[in-house]
Amino acid sequence: MMDNHSSATEFHLLGFSGSQELHQILFAIFFFFYLVTLMGNTVIIVIVCVDKRLQSPMYFFLGHLSALEILITTIIVPMMLWGLLLPGMQTVSLSACIAQLFLYLAVGTTEFALLGVMAVDRYVAVCNPLRYNIIMNSSTCIWVVIVSWVFGFLSEIWPVYATFQFTFCKSNSLDHFYCDRGQLLKLSCDNTLFTEFILFLMAVFVLFGSLIPTIVSYTYIISTILKIPSASGRRKAFSTCASHFTCVVIGYGSCLFLYVKPKQTQGTEYNKIVSLLVSVLTPFLNPFIFTLWNDKVKEVLQDGAKRCCQLLKD
């Protein structure tokens, strides 16, 4: 516990409860997930950059989405693994806590903006294919990606600044595996209700600001696909959207439960589980989702595997 008139200059992360054996099992599982996440998303970035068959807006956006997945899991998982490996020894400075929270929220916001852009891209591809190359030209794609990144980072400056304007005098122990905003607000001796309400409104704006164009886009996409007379045509049209739609459901679903609630300080164990979905499971699943649902990505990966096998034989 801390003096009522002082504010924390460092925080102790409590991480996961349980025995040392459980921590070792969790470490092995999350370390495996982290390695697969890095390798899988890196492979997607590399093939998007080098293979001419993937030189289209959809895969350009996919490459950036994979980069964001690598970033979001790297911001959280190494610190979490360190806490599992050496429980009771995880102390984070105030500046490191600020940096982690800002990067986590900024990268997450950028990802939602990009998912919204990808939904519009799929709408143009399915509903207006003849004008697709004109509308989604290289200049447009570059600009919307730049705007997504800039918006993501600029929009989280005030929320993080406002969070760390409070005095953290109740304790310096955070019952989480990273610097979670809800847990930080729990430690404040100040009245945080108004700020929490503003943060709630901002979370609603960010999530629904990108979810609404996604819903509208998929309403038109599904309507157009159902009008296609042949089953093979419907399947082909659906396959171009299925991977993105799956990412949307997982990504938005978990974050709606985590951030869009007026009271930011509720449900510690609940927050930990949903945070694991956002920072561990979704980045891990991303390469598999886009590989399993996308025929062109599967084709490129199969050709690459054949070339590797041939080089090894030679």
Side-chain angles (χ1 to χ4, degrees):
M1 296 295 291
M2 298 179 61
D3 187 282
N4 285 337
H5 299 289
S6 63
S7 185
T9 56
E10 62 180 21
F11 298 98
H12 178 66
L13 301 180
L14 300 182
F16 297 93
S17 57
S19 64
Q20 188 175 353
E21 289 75 19
L22 176 62
H23 284 186
Q24 289 170 350
I25 293 168
L26 290 175
F27 177 87
I29 293 170
F30 294 143
F31 184 65
F32 170 75
F33 272 41
Y34 183 54
L35 287 181
V36 173
T37 298
L38 292 182
M39 289 188 291
N41 284 288
T42 301
V43 166
I44 287 179
I45 293 168
V46 170
I47 63 173
V48 166
C49 290
V50 302
D51 198 290
K52 290 182 179 178
R53 286 170 290 183
L54 303 181
Q55 302 299 307
S56 72
M58 177 183 173
Y59 301 107
F60 175 70
F61 297 139
L62 175 57
H64 280 269
L65 182 65
S66 293
L68 288 165
E69 298 286 29
I70 289 173
L71 284 173
I72 205 161
T73 195
T74 300
I75 290 163
I76 301 297
V77 174
M79 183 179 286
M80 181 177 69
L81 293 175
W82 181 253
L84 288 168
L85 197 62
L86 299 168
M89 297 179 65
Q90 200 173 20
T91 301
V92 183
S93 68
L94 179 63
S95 57
C97 196
I98 293 170
Q100 186 187 46
L101 181 61
F102 173 71
L103 290 172
Y104 179 65
L105 294 175
V107 170
T109 302
T110 303
E111 188 168 329
F112 284 121
L114 191 62
L115 284 171
V117 168
M118 291 175 77
V120 175
D121 170 70
R122 292 300 82 208
Y123 159 74
V124 178
V126 173
C127 301
N128 206 345
L130 297 178
R131 298 189 62 205
Y132 179 70
N133 290 328
I134 298 170
I135 297 169
M136 302 303 295
N137 57 62
S138 58
S139 177
T140 301
C141 292
I142 290 168
W143 272 109
V144 294
V145 163
I146 290 171
V147 169
S148 297
W149 281 85
V150 171
F151 170 75
F153 278 75
L154 289 182
S155 65
E156 293 302 333
I157 291 174
W158 184 85
V160 174
Y161 172 80
T163 301
F164 286 95
Q165 287 304 296
F166 294 114
T167 302
F168 305 110
C169 57
K170 290 181 180 178
S171 170
N172 67 338
S173 295
L174 289 173
D175 191 6
H176 218 296
F177 51 81
Y178 79 101
C179 287
D180 175 64
R181 182 165 63 198
Q183 291 303 307
L184 284 165
L185 293 174
K186 269 188 177 182
L187 304 183
S188 176
C189 298
D190 306 319
N191 187 343
T192 63
L193 285 177
F194 178 73
T195 301
E196 285 186 59
F197 180 67
I198 298 299
L199 293 174
F200 163 72
L201 291 179
M202 292 187 73
V204 168
F205 172 77
V206 168
L207 287 174
F208 285 94
S210 55
L211 184 58
I212 289 169
T214 301
I215 292 170
V216 172
S217 295
Y218 273 103
T219 301
Y220 281 105
I221 287 168
I222 292 167
S223 175
T224 302
I225 289 174
L226 291 175
K227 291 175 184 175
I228 297 173
S230 67
S232 61
R234 287 194 298 271
R235 182 189 171 279
K236 186 177 179 182
F238 178 74
S239 69
T240 66
C241 306
S243 51
H244 173 262
F245 183 75
T246 307
C247 280
V248 165
V249 171
I250 296 172
Y252 281 99
S254 56
C255 281
L256 282 170
F257 283 113
L258 186 59
Y259 292 114
V260 183
K261 56 186 184 203
K263 189 69 176 170
Q264 295 282 315
T265 56
Q266 293 172 348
T268 301
E269 294 304 319
Y270 167 86
N271 276 3
K272 286 182 185 179
I273 292 168
V274 182
S275 295
L276 285 173
L277 288 176
V278 175
S279 59
V280 178
L281 188 61
T282 304
F284 170 79
L285 290 175
N286 180 49
F288 297 103
I289 291 169
F290 280 95
T291 302
L292 292 172
W293 285 102
N294 194 288
D295 293 334
K296 196 170 281 189
V297 173
K298 281 194 283 189
E299 183 186 319
V300 170
L301 289 173
Q302 286 167 359
D303 290 349
K306 286 176 186 176
R307 286 197 207 100
C308 289
C309 291
Q310 203 155 11
L311 286 170
L312 290 171
K313 287 178 183 178
D314 296 340

